[in-house]
């Protein structure tokens, strides 16, 4: 059974950092891509970053480039999102999802999400 479980969210001050984890099970991570999404209150869910597990190719949405770093541990079947220099606009529920490639529109098997709140 395919399962993705997000963790690592919390309350952080502007300029702070958090590392989110996406623990996966039920499939071989090597063959897929994992995307991180976020949904702020009253807004649509948007793709933030993606990694192709086999070769480590990454992509980022413009607003997080230079601040967020996605990585994977294929042994632990876990994908991480290191978030630095967080801004209030990053406040959202963050989700990870599975895809054959980094096409956000085709990704599925979203987890339940982890809440990130950036506030002073």
């Amino acid at each position: 059974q395919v399962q993705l479980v997000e963790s690592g969210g919390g309350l952080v001050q502007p300029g702070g950092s958090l590392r989110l984890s996406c623990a996966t099970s039920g499939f071989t991570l090597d063959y897929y891509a994992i995307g991180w999404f976020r949904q702020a209150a009253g807004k649509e869910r948007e793709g933030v970053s993606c990694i192709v597990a086999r070769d480590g190719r990454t992509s980022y949405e413009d607003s997080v480039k230079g601040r967020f770093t996605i990585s994977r541990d294929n042994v632990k079947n876990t994908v991480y999102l290191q978030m630095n220099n967080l801004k209030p606009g990053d406040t959202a529920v963050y989700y990870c999802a599975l895809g054959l490639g980094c096409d956000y529109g085709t990704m599925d098997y979203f987890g339940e999400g982890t809440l990130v709140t950036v506030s002073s």
Side-chain angles (χ1 to χ4, degrees), residues 46-103:
E46 62 173 352
V48 172
S49 182
C50 183
I51 187 166
V52 178
R54 179 179 292 278
D55 59 16
R57 281 179 293 141
T58 60
S59 61
Y60 298 92
E61 188 264 333
D62 285 347
S63 69
V64 307
K65 283 181 181 177
R67 300 189 298 122
F68 290 11
T69 303
I70 191 170
S71 62
R72 90 287 192 203
D73 184 329
N74 287 7
V75 174
K76 294 183 178 179
N77 293 322
T78 300
V79 173
Y80 304 98
L81 187 68
Q82 177 67 43
M83 306 187 297
N84 298 329
N85 190 22
L86 283 160
K87 304 176 181 181
D90 296 317
T91 295
V93 179
Y94 284 71
Y95 304 87
C96 57
L98 168 69
L100 293 176
C102 284
D103 178 353

Side-chain angles (χ1 to χ4, degrees), residues 25-48:
S25 60
F27 62 96
T28 303
L29 183 59
D30 263 0
Y31 298 153
Y32 296 94
I34 298 293
W36 280 101
F37 296 73
R38 65 186 180 187
Q39 186 167 20
K43 294 187 177 180
E44 292 188 356
R45 187 164 55 194
E46 62 173 352
V48 172

Side-chain angles (χ1 to χ4, degrees), residues 5 16 95 108:
V5 179
Y95 304 87
D108 205 345

